[in-house]
Structures are given as C-alpha cells and as structure tokens.
Amino acid sequence: MKATAMAHPIQGLVKYHGMRDSIERLPYHDSISVCTAPSHTKTTVEFSMDYDEDVYIVDGEELDGHAFDRVERVVEKARSMSDAAHTVYPVRLESENSFPSNVGLGSSSSGFAAAARALAEAAELDATLEDISTIARVGSSSAARAVTGGFSYLAAGLNDQDCRSRRIPTELDDELKTIVALVPAYKNTDDAHEEAADSHMFDARRAHVQDQLVEMQDALHDDDLDRVCEIAEHDSLSLAATTMTGPDGWVYWQPATLAVFNTVRELRNEGYPDDDDVNSVPVWFSTDTGASVYVNTTAEHAERVKEAVAETGVRTTIWEVGGPAQLLDEGEALF
C-alpha cells in the first residue's frame, strides 16, 4: 500500500524547549505555531513484501543512526495503531524538501508531518488530523502542529489523548506575510532541547511562557496581528536566552541575524528611509532554533519589507500561512 502526502513547516510563535520524554517527544509545556507556505515537504511511503527492510531516504540520502531511529519511531507508531495486515511488511519512505533544512526553518516539522499523514493513509488508519498529530509528534513535537496546519496549538501531556495538536480559529491567514531571511548556519534542535533544560533560566521561562500562551491565544481569537507578532518576537528572545545560558553557552545567531533584527527595528521605529512622510512599519522579527529569521508583517507591506531586509545581504523570500498536511494524488509519488 502506497501513499504520498505534503506538509508545510512551522514558525514557532510560542515555542518550547526541553522534553519530559525524549522518546514520545512530550514537551514540558504547551506551544503555538503557524505553518509557512509554499515551503513544504513531500513524502511517499509504501508497505510491501517486496522490500527486505525498512528504508528511509531524505533529499536523496539514505538515513542511518539517530536520524533513522527518529523516522522508525514514527513508522512504528503508525503500525501500532493499524489493524491492516500489510503493515507487518517493510516500508520504504522517501522525502523531499522544497527549502533548506537544518537552518532554523522547521524542516523536521514538515518532514515528520508529511510522513505521518502518508503513513496513516498507507496503514489504512481511520484517524483525524488530531490523531495523526500524535504520530508525527514522536518524530518532532513541532510536527504535530504541522499536521493540523495554519495556527495550531500543541497541548502538553503524558499521553496521546492530552498531547496532541488542534487548529486555532482565526481570520489572520490572509493577512500575515513572512519574509524569510535565510542565514545558512547549521544547528541541531535536539541538542538545544538539552541545553535549554539545563539553563538556570529554564524554570523562569516555564513560568513566564504561561502568560505568553494566554496572550497569544487571545490575540489570535481577536485577529490582532500586531499583538501576535509582538508576542512572537518577545518569545524568540526569551527562548534564545535559555539556550545561551545553558552549560555550553550556545549562541545560534550570526552577524547577519542581528543585522536583520536591526533593520526590523529601524523600520518599526523610523519607517521606510525613502519616505518623506515617516510612518512606522508593522514589522517584527522571530527566530526558532537557528540563525535564520522570520520577519513578520502585513500583506500591504511585504514587498517593501523584503527589499529592506535584502539590503542586509541575506537571501529573502516571502512566505504565507500554510494549511494542514494533505494527501496527494498517485501521480505525485516520489517512487
């Protein structure tokens, strides 16, 4: 049985670091994100008696070691939920990203979300997107939110009934535009989870993030884009502080990252430099784990903000809000 699916990566709005359970990927607290399109991962899976063993290929490279084990956990989760006889056969999984991976743009979220959606179909599961989010979660907690798409909320918990993603209703899907400032510096999110949890600031963040979660949900329900983006910017700084104060003092940001921050603040405080009538621009920065920057603004200002950010020397592109993980036609299969 073969199936192909596509999912969009996420931009964390109220993010998490640290996990209670690194196997089931159970975070210490709730989190909120928004999916970004047209960036996506496409994944094809097939259970077949013609295969000798499970094989996982991402962007043309066959996985082994820790990367193999993470995908295997997702596959085994789908198998455990299925009554279909063919799931005992080995599986072949191939995945392709439309955007750079391991640079802070959420490739693990879209990767595991697309895999979970395809696996659920190939395993003939009668499952909702929220159910499928629990499959994706064992690969990456952020992937659970990529399954449900748009603006989504992952609740913390100790089981699949509690720790699953749900969509947050809002009218901001068409209004939010994100200029992605690509700063290609490699990062490892799993290591960051351990670093942050060992920071002396981690307990303070866990206490503070509860207010962030309440405020973010309220802003989304009110369709208040300014508040959403402002909270995301502050949350990015808070999250980075816990990583920077971990045992190894990791600093993911690069000089180009800070240049983008400065440009965003100048636009917000002073407006466009070529405007005679100076007006502040509704624009905010946000980062996940990595050096790349999400620059959030409105549809009206997206092109001019992109031009201003590009002047810092980084590669830029405009993304928008993406939907949930979805199945694709047979003709879209990767093999």
Side-chain angles (χ1 to χ4, degrees):
M1 178 68 176
K2 182 186 291 189
T4 301
M6 180 186 75
H8 301 291
I10 62 93
Q11 172 194 168
L13 299 177
V14 179
K15 296 167 277 290
Y16 79 96
H17 263 171
M19 289 175 287
R20 296 178 186 275
D21 185 324
S22 61
I23 301 300
E24 285 292 318
R25 311 290 289 197
L26 302 174
Y28 280 106
H29 59 76
D30 301 357
S31 53
I32 300 173
S33 64
V34 59
C35 276
T36 54
S39 54
H40 66 272
T41 301
K42 181 192 293 187
T43 300
T44 298
V45 300
E46 181 180 36
F47 294 97
S48 174
M49 62 188 303
D50 294 333
Y51 300 135
D52 294 328
E53 59 185 1
D54 291 344
V55 175
Y56 310 133
I57 300 170
V58 176
D59 289 334
E61 181 178 348
E62 185 171 340
L63 302 184
D64 57 15
H66 178 64
F68 178 97
D69 293 342
R70 286 184 69 179
V71 178
E72 183 81 349
R73 286 199 292 268
V74 176
V75 171
E76 289 304 319
K77 184 88 168 185
R79 282 183 169 128
S80 71
M81 296 169 63
S82 175
D83 294 325
H86 64 266
T87 59
V88 301
Y89 298 139
V91 65
R92 180 180 182 87
L93 180 153
E94 289 196 24
S95 182
E96 290 183 355
N97 294 306
S98 72
F99 61 102
S101 59
N102 294 312
V103 294
L105 297 179
S107 59
S108 63
S109 63
S110 55
F112 287 113
R117 188 74 175 90
L119 283 163
E121 179 70 9
E124 299 181 352
L125 298 182
D126 180 17
T128 65
L129 287 177
E130 291 190 6
D131 294 332
I132 296 171
S133 77
T134 68
I135 301 174
R137 191 203 66 231
V138 300
S140 164
S141 293
S142 297
R145 291 180 261 111
V147 170
T148 49
F151 294 87
S152 283
Y153 191 106
L154 177 64
L158 298 177
N159 53 64
D160 289 344
Q161 287 69 41
D162 294 332
C163 193
R164 55 177 49 215
S165 178
R166 60 175 173 81
R167 188 81 171 258
I168 301 176
T170 181
E171 299 296 323
L172 294 179
D173 287 27
D174 293 332
E175 182 63 9
L176 173 64
K177 301 299 178 185
T178 300
I179 290 81
V180 174
L182 178 62
V183 183
Y186 180 83
K187 57 81 191 177
N188 186 313
T189 303
D190 273 356
D191 291 341
H193 285 306
E194 296 180 9
E195 276 291 297
D198 288 337
S199 165
H200 67 277
M201 296 180 66
F202 187 62
D203 287 340
R205 171 163 172 80
R206 288 179 62 187
H208 172 68
V209 79
Q210 302 307 318
D211 286 338
Q212 300 279 81
L213 290 162
V214 171
E215 291 285 343
M216 181 63 76
Q217 289 182 89
D218 187 61
L220 288 168
H221 291 149
D222 284 348
D223 303 321
D224 188 338
L225 185 62
D226 287 13
R227 285 179 63 205
V228 167
C229 297
E230 181 180 5
I231 295 166
E233 181 173 299
H234 284 293
D235 186 73
S236 297
L237 297 171
S238 171
L239 184 78
T242 61
T243 304
M244 292 179 186
T245 53
D248 290 333
W250 286 357
V251 179
Y252 285 112
W253 297 338
Q254 300 295 311
T257 306
L258 301 181
V260 174
F261 289 178
N262 290 335
T263 295
V264 168
R265 285 173 165 160
E266 288 170 3
L267 289 173
R268 196 162 65 218
N269 295 330
E270 303 172 12
Y272 299 113
D274 56 347
D275 279 359
D276 293 331
D277 183 18
V278 176
N279 292 300
S280 64
V281 180
V283 61
W284 298 263
F285 63 79
S286 176
T287 61
D288 287 338
T289 303
S292 296
V293 187
Y294 299 101
V295 178
N296 295 312
T297 188
T298 64
E300 176 187 357
H301 291 272
E303 287 293 344
R304 292 196 67 184
V305 169
K306 178 178 182 292
E307 292 174 5
V309 173
E311 289 181 359
T312 67
V314 299
R315 175 181 158 194
T316 60
T317 187
I318 298 176
W319 288 356
E320 59 189 24
V321 176
Q326 60 181 295
L327 295 172
L328 301 178
D329 295 335
E330 291 181 7
E332 297 277 358
L334 296 176
F335 62 89

